[in-house]
Amino acid sequence: MEEIMTTSQGCESDMDCSDNECYEDYYNINDDSDIEQVDPRKVDPEYFEFKCLYEEEVDRLLNETVETLSNILHIPPSLAKVLLHGHQWNIEEVTRKYHDNPSNTLITSKIEPVTTHSNIIMGRYMCCPVCVMPHPVDKFHSLTCGHLFCRDCWTMHFEVQINQGISTGIACMARECDVLAPEDFVLRHLTRPNMREKYQQFSFQDHVKSHPELRFCPGPNCSIVVHGREIKAKRAICTQCKTTFCFKCGCDYHAPTDCQVIKKWLTKCADDSETANYISAHTKDCPKCHICIEKNGGCNHMQCYNCKHDFCWMCLGDWKSHGSEYYECSRYRENPNIAHESVHAQAREALKKYLHYYERWENHSKSLKLEEQTLGKLRSRINQKVMSGLGTWIDWQYLFTAANLLAKCRYTLQYTYPYAYYMDAGPRKELFEYQQAQLEAEIENLSWKIERAETTDRGDLENQMDIAEKRRTTLLKDFLDV
Amino acid sequence: MANIAAQRIKREFKEVIKSEEVAKCAIKVELVNDSYTELKGEIAGPPDTPYEGGTFVLEIKVPETYPFNPPKVRFMTKIWHPNISSVTGAICLDILKDQWAAAMTLRTVLLSLQALLSAAEPDDPQDAVVAKQYRENLEMFQITARHWTNVYAGGPHVNSDCDDKIRRLVDMGIEEHQARAALSSYNWDLERATEQLFS
């Protein structure tokens, strides 16, 4: 009976157990027949299997790998660890290399020396070449290379290296000898508890960094390590601090743009931002009545408070032309005669092209921030509504869901601009910009509707949410290539 | 100063003094203070190089953590070499950085520096201007390095052409070393050096 209790998660305490079992079965049958099992890998282009691990879990994972290799090759775990660290924790590769040529593998992994140093020991004392002091012979230790040094010098050597942040890469003290000191050898010589702790902390970091399936969460002061099954530029979300990042490069998530391109783009933006900032001012004039307008929300569908003219913040064109199925604002139109123009004109054109994409990139980034503020306003508006008897707090929750979805969509839209900037002209770019325009139009619609939601009637908004999300996934499905 | 460092330096000091290289006047070390934290080294310019006949003085600072960390070495004598800064005397040599091993000694450092003078590594430069000249105009590099050795390290080869050009700039009110550095950087092209100095 107790067994059943634990497997049927969260059953009501008052229920009879046999009843409970019946419900369970009833729901289970239902589950199987009703919900079609779809492979999320095929449906969701952003699908990514990962786990957030605590330090102990990572330790366990690494130790299991070390133990497996140590058993396969019949070598001590500390050596298995050095081998794995040098081979990106790829057991198959290490095993294959080791079986092909064991001694060569140990030499290239800096576990064994090319030639072993032989010592001629006479008498009970010898002089340590580092501290130049005589010590009893039994105080001397060496790595596999045979270079003997006294115990105290080894300890000092390790402490100096650890204080410089070196751990897995500490080599022998002899000249031109690069045999690495394995963990057990180092720990045997470290007596001070804080040094042992530092060493273990640094080598843990080294091991995680050398493991392609592991990545430290980039969140501030977060110690979570994300374990991804595949090494791809996919979105990982830390369960602890909620930081969202690209698993491959550890930077802000950037789909559909890939890691190299986003890096190039961000460097470019950092270099050129002064010019761009100067050019894209924070205010614009209404194209109809020329009153100065400051943008106070995330939506790019502007309505002048003075003359009620509807226009697009980005291109200052009439909003009506944007509402149709072909949203043109996101597309950059290249000057077709550019090849015949002067270098000067070409440079101006290049800047113009960059600014086109940069302004949109920057604008969506700003919109994202503004929409965060909108969320606050939303909360107070809902409070007012609830107080005046217009629905309950729960009735209004859908607005928050909508706002979250909006943020997600706008985020992807922002990252489509660097992608488009670096794309070669052609039908594929045309398709991309078409889809981008579609997404942009739906996002602006959604943003407009969220900012002006006055009723608990959620049908229209939910419909809009669905459309926006569909556009987003369609674009990612076609262009997210990781 | 840590015990090991002092012991080691004392021992190494003796090692250098007794070594056969000292007998051949190739290397030398002197104490600067009583605490063994700072030494003065000297190496002779190796034969068949532009540095031949010159004596190069080195500043050697011994860190607290010696010999677990390398000594800090810098050329006090001005020198024209791709791996040594012509301005500060800073040296780019692997054994003074990550390839240092605790079992190395001052003697090995001095001998390695001497070897560096014989065989420059322009792909790993400390002074970009010198390295560029070394790669693109080896003859000009050798003339310049020999002239610097003559002026700053007591080398025997006087180059009157170089001296004349420097004098012309000095007559215009430029400080001598500044004039030499500018001319050296511009392959002894007086016009371009002047342009750079007055721009």
Side-chain angles (χ1 to χ4, degrees), chain A residues 219-248:
Chain A
N221 300 323
C222 183
S223 60
I224 287 290
V225 172
V226 174
H227 181 202
R229 282 270 167 238
E230 37 180 15
I231 307 130
K232 285 188 172 170
K234 293 269 184 124
R235 177 176 53 200
I237 302 161
C238 175
T239 44
Q240 182 103 330
C241 72
K242 308 291 175 227
T243 303
T244 304
F245 59 98
C246 164
F247 180 72
K248 199 171 176 190

Short mmCIF file of all heavy atoms in Angstrom, two decimals, chain A residues 219-248:
data_model
loop_
_atom_site.label_atom_id
_atom_site.label_comp_id
_atom_site.label_asym_id
_atom_site.label_seq_id
_atom_site.Cartn_x
_atom_site.Cartn_y
_atom_site.Cartn_z
N GLY A 219 25.34 33.27 -14.93
CA GLY A 219 24.68 34.17 -13.99
C GLY A 219 25.61 34.57 -12.86
O GLY A 219 26.46 33.79 -12.45
N PRO A 220 25.46 35.81 -12.33
CA PRO A 220 26.36 36.26 -11.27
C PRO A 220 26.21 35.41 -10.01
O PRO A 220 25.10 35.13 -9.57
CB PRO A 220 25.93 37.71 -11.02
CG PRO A 220 24.58 37.84 -11.63
CD PRO A 220 24.48 36.83 -12.72
N ASN A 221 27.34 34.99 -9.47
CA ASN A 221 27.40 34.19 -8.24
C ASN A 221 26.59 32.91 -8.30
O ASN A 221 26.11 32.42 -7.28
CB ASN A 221 26.94 35.00 -7.02
CG ASN A 221 27.82 36.21 -6.81
OD1 ASN A 221 29.03 36.15 -7.02
ND2 ASN A 221 27.21 37.31 -6.45
N CYS A 222 26.39 32.37 -9.50
CA CYS A 222 25.62 31.14 -9.61
C CYS A 222 26.59 29.98 -9.80
O CYS A 222 27.52 30.08 -10.60
CB CYS A 222 24.66 31.23 -10.80
SG CYS A 222 23.62 29.78 -10.94
N SER A 223 26.40 28.91 -9.05
CA SER A 223 27.35 27.80 -9.12
C SER A 223 26.81 26.61 -9.90
O SER A 223 27.38 25.54 -9.87
CB SER A 223 27.75 27.38 -7.72
OG SER A 223 26.60 26.98 -7.03
N ILE A 224 25.69 26.85 -10.56
CA ILE A 224 25.07 25.75 -11.32
C ILE A 224 25.90 25.42 -12.57
O ILE A 224 26.46 26.31 -13.21
CB ILE A 224 23.63 26.15 -11.72
CG1 ILE A 224 22.71 26.13 -10.50
CG2 ILE A 224 23.07 25.27 -12.84
CD1 ILE A 224 22.39 24.77 -9.94
N VAL A 225 25.97 24.12 -12.87
CA VAL A 225 26.62 23.70 -14.11
C VAL A 225 25.54 23.06 -14.98
O VAL A 225 24.80 22.20 -14.52
CB VAL A 225 27.75 22.69 -13.83
CG1 VAL A 225 28.29 22.11 -15.12
CG2 VAL A 225 28.87 23.34 -13.04
N VAL A 226 25.46 23.51 -16.22
CA VAL A 226 24.45 22.96 -17.12
C VAL A 226 25.06 21.80 -17.90
O VAL A 226 26.15 21.92 -18.44
CB VAL A 226 23.91 24.04 -18.07
CG1 VAL A 226 22.96 23.43 -19.09
CG2 VAL A 226 23.19 25.11 -17.28
N HIS A 227 24.34 20.69 -17.91
CA HIS A 227 24.80 19.52 -18.63
C HIS A 227 23.91 19.33 -19.85
O HIS A 227 22.74 19.01 -19.73
CB HIS A 227 24.73 18.30 -17.70
CG HIS A 227 25.23 17.04 -18.36
ND1 HIS A 227 24.88 15.80 -17.94
CD2 HIS A 227 26.07 16.87 -19.40
CE1 HIS A 227 25.48 14.89 -18.71
NE2 HIS A 227 26.20 15.53 -19.60
N GLY A 228 24.47 19.56 -21.04
CA GLY A 228 23.70 19.42 -22.26
C GLY A 228 24.07 18.12 -22.95
O GLY A 228 25.22 17.72 -22.94
N ARG A 229 23.09 17.48 -23.54
CA ARG A 229 23.36 16.21 -24.21
C ARG A 229 24.09 16.41 -25.53
O ARG A 229 24.86 15.60 -25.97
CB ARG A 229 22.04 15.46 -24.43
CG ARG A 229 21.54 14.80 -23.20
CD ARG A 229 22.07 13.38 -23.07
NE ARG A 229 21.82 12.90 -21.74
CZ ARG A 229 22.77 12.48 -20.92
NH1 ARG A 229 24.03 12.47 -21.30
NH2 ARG A 229 22.47 12.04 -19.72
N GLU A 230 23.79 17.52 -26.19
CA GLU A 230 24.46 17.80 -27.45
C GLU A 230 25.09 19.18 -27.36
O GLU A 230 24.58 20.05 -26.67
CB GLU A 230 23.47 17.71 -28.62
CG GLU A 230 22.10 18.24 -28.27
CD GLU A 230 21.10 18.16 -29.40
OE1 GLU A 230 21.37 17.47 -30.38
OE2 GLU A 230 20.08 18.84 -29.28
N ILE A 231 26.20 19.35 -28.08
CA ILE A 231 26.94 20.59 -27.98
C ILE A 231 26.46 21.52 -29.08
O ILE A 231 27.04 21.57 -30.16
CB ILE A 231 28.45 20.34 -28.06
CG1 ILE A 231 28.83 19.30 -27.02
CG2 ILE A 231 29.25 21.61 -27.85
CD1 ILE A 231 29.65 18.17 -27.58
N LYS A 232 25.37 22.22 -28.82
CA LYS A 232 24.79 23.07 -29.84
C LYS A 232 24.46 24.44 -29.27
O LYS A 232 24.32 24.60 -28.06
CB LYS A 232 23.51 22.42 -30.37
CG LYS A 232 23.81 21.26 -31.30
CD LYS A 232 22.55 20.76 -31.95
CE LYS A 232 22.88 19.74 -33.01
NZ LYS A 232 21.69 19.07 -33.50
N ALA A 233 24.32 25.40 -30.18
CA ALA A 233 23.99 26.76 -29.77
C ALA A 233 22.50 26.85 -29.44
O ALA A 233 21.73 27.51 -30.13
CB ALA A 233 24.35 27.75 -30.87
N LYS A 234 22.10 26.14 -28.38
CA LYS A 234 20.68 26.13 -28.00
C LYS A 234 20.49 26.89 -26.70
O LYS A 234 21.43 27.14 -25.96
CB LYS A 234 20.23 24.68 -27.84
CG LYS A 234 20.23 23.90 -29.15
CD LYS A 234 18.89 24.00 -29.84
CE LYS A 234 18.86 23.17 -31.09
NZ LYS A 234 17.80 22.20 -31.13
N ARG A 235 19.21 27.16 -26.41
CA ARG A 235 18.90 27.95 -25.22
C ARG A 235 18.91 27.09 -23.96
O ARG A 235 18.19 26.09 -23.88
CB ARG A 235 17.55 28.62 -25.37
CG ARG A 235 17.13 29.41 -24.12
CD ARG A 235 15.86 30.14 -24.32
NE ARG A 235 14.82 29.24 -24.79
CZ ARG A 235 13.73 29.64 -25.40
NH1 ARG A 235 13.54 30.90 -25.64
NH2 ARG A 235 12.82 28.77 -25.79
N ALA A 236 19.74 27.48 -23.01
CA ALA A 236 19.72 26.82 -21.70
C ALA A 236 19.22 27.84 -20.69
O ALA A 236 19.51 29.03 -20.79
CB ALA A 236 21.13 26.37 -21.33
N ILE A 237 18.41 27.37 -19.73
CA ILE A 237 17.89 28.26 -18.69
C ILE A 237 18.28 27.68 -17.34
O ILE A 237 17.99 26.52 -17.05
CB ILE A 237 16.35 28.39 -18.78
CG1 ILE A 237 15.96 28.90 -20.16
CG2 ILE A 237 15.83 29.34 -17.71
CD1 ILE A 237 14.51 28.64 -20.51
N CYS A 238 18.96 28.47 -16.55
CA CYS A 238 19.40 27.99 -15.23
C CYS A 238 18.19 27.91 -14.31
O CYS A 238 17.44 28.88 -14.16
CB CYS A 238 20.44 28.95 -14.67
SG CYS A 238 20.92 28.55 -13.00
N THR A 239 18.01 26.76 -13.69
CA THR A 239 16.86 26.58 -12.81
C THR A 239 17.03 27.38 -11.52
O THR A 239 16.07 27.71 -10.85
CB THR A 239 16.67 25.11 -12.43
OG1 THR A 239 17.94 24.56 -12.11
CG2 THR A 239 16.03 24.33 -13.56
N GLN A 240 18.27 27.68 -11.18
CA GLN A 240 18.56 28.37 -9.93
C GLN A 240 18.37 29.88 -10.06
O GLN A 240 17.59 30.48 -9.35
CB GLN A 240 20.00 28.07 -9.53
CG GLN A 240 20.40 28.69 -8.23
CD GLN A 240 20.40 27.66 -7.13
OE1 GLN A 240 19.63 26.68 -7.15
NE2 GLN A 240 21.28 27.82 -6.19
N CYS A 241 19.10 30.50 -11.03
CA CYS A 241 19.07 31.96 -11.10
C CYS A 241 18.30 32.47 -12.31
O CYS A 241 18.23 33.68 -12.53
CB CYS A 241 20.50 32.52 -11.10
SG CYS A 241 21.40 32.23 -12.63
N LYS A 242 17.74 31.55 -13.10
CA LYS A 242 16.88 31.89 -14.24
C LYS A 242 17.63 32.57 -15.39
O LYS A 242 17.01 33.13 -16.30
CB LYS A 242 15.70 32.81 -13.83
CG LYS A 242 14.89 32.29 -12.66
CD LYS A 242 14.09 31.06 -13.03
CE LYS A 242 13.39 30.50 -11.80
NZ LYS A 242 13.54 29.06 -11.66
N THR A 243 18.95 32.57 -15.37
CA THR A 243 19.70 33.16 -16.48
C THR A 243 19.48 32.33 -17.74
O THR A 243 19.54 31.11 -17.69
CB THR A 243 21.19 33.21 -16.14
OG1 THR A 243 21.36 33.93 -14.93
CG2 THR A 243 22.00 33.88 -17.25
N THR A 244 19.22 33.01 -18.83
CA THR A 244 19.05 32.35 -20.12
C THR A 244 20.29 32.60 -20.94
O THR A 244 20.74 33.73 -21.04
CB THR A 244 17.83 32.93 -20.85
OG1 THR A 244 16.70 32.79 -19.99
CG2 THR A 244 17.56 32.19 -22.14
N PHE A 245 20.86 31.54 -21.51
CA PHE A 245 22.09 31.73 -22.28
C PHE A 245 22.25 30.66 -23.35
O PHE A 245 21.56 29.65 -23.33
CB PHE A 245 23.30 31.76 -21.36
CG PHE A 245 23.49 30.50 -20.54
CD1 PHE A 245 24.38 29.52 -20.95
CD2 PHE A 245 22.78 30.31 -19.37
CE1 PHE A 245 24.55 28.36 -20.20
CE2 PHE A 245 22.94 29.16 -18.62
CZ PHE A 245 23.82 28.19 -19.03
N CYS A 246 23.16 30.93 -24.27
CA CYS A 246 23.45 29.97 -25.32
C CYS A 246 24.39 28.92 -24.75
O CYS A 246 25.43 29.25 -24.19
CB CYS A 246 24.12 30.69 -26.49
SG CYS A 246 24.93 29.57 -27.63
N PHE A 247 24.02 27.65 -24.90
CA PHE A 247 24.82 26.59 -24.29
C PHE A 247 26.21 26.51 -24.89
O PHE A 247 27.18 26.20 -24.22
CB PHE A 247 24.10 25.24 -24.43
CG PHE A 247 24.88 24.10 -23.83
CD1 PHE A 247 24.97 23.98 -22.45
CD2 PHE A 247 25.50 23.16 -24.62
CE1 PHE A 247 25.69 22.95 -21.87
CE2 PHE A 247 26.23 22.12 -24.04
CZ PHE A 247 26.32 22.01 -22.68
N LYS A 248 26.31 26.83 -26.17
CA LYS A 248 27.59 26.65 -26.85
C LYS A 248 28.61 27.73 -26.47
O LYS A 248 29.75 27.41 -26.17
CB LYS A 248 27.39 26.66 -28.36
CG LYS A 248 28.55 26.04 -29.12
CD LYS A 248 28.16 25.91 -30.57
CE LYS A 248 29.28 25.40 -31.44
NZ LYS A 248 28.88 25.54 -32.85
#
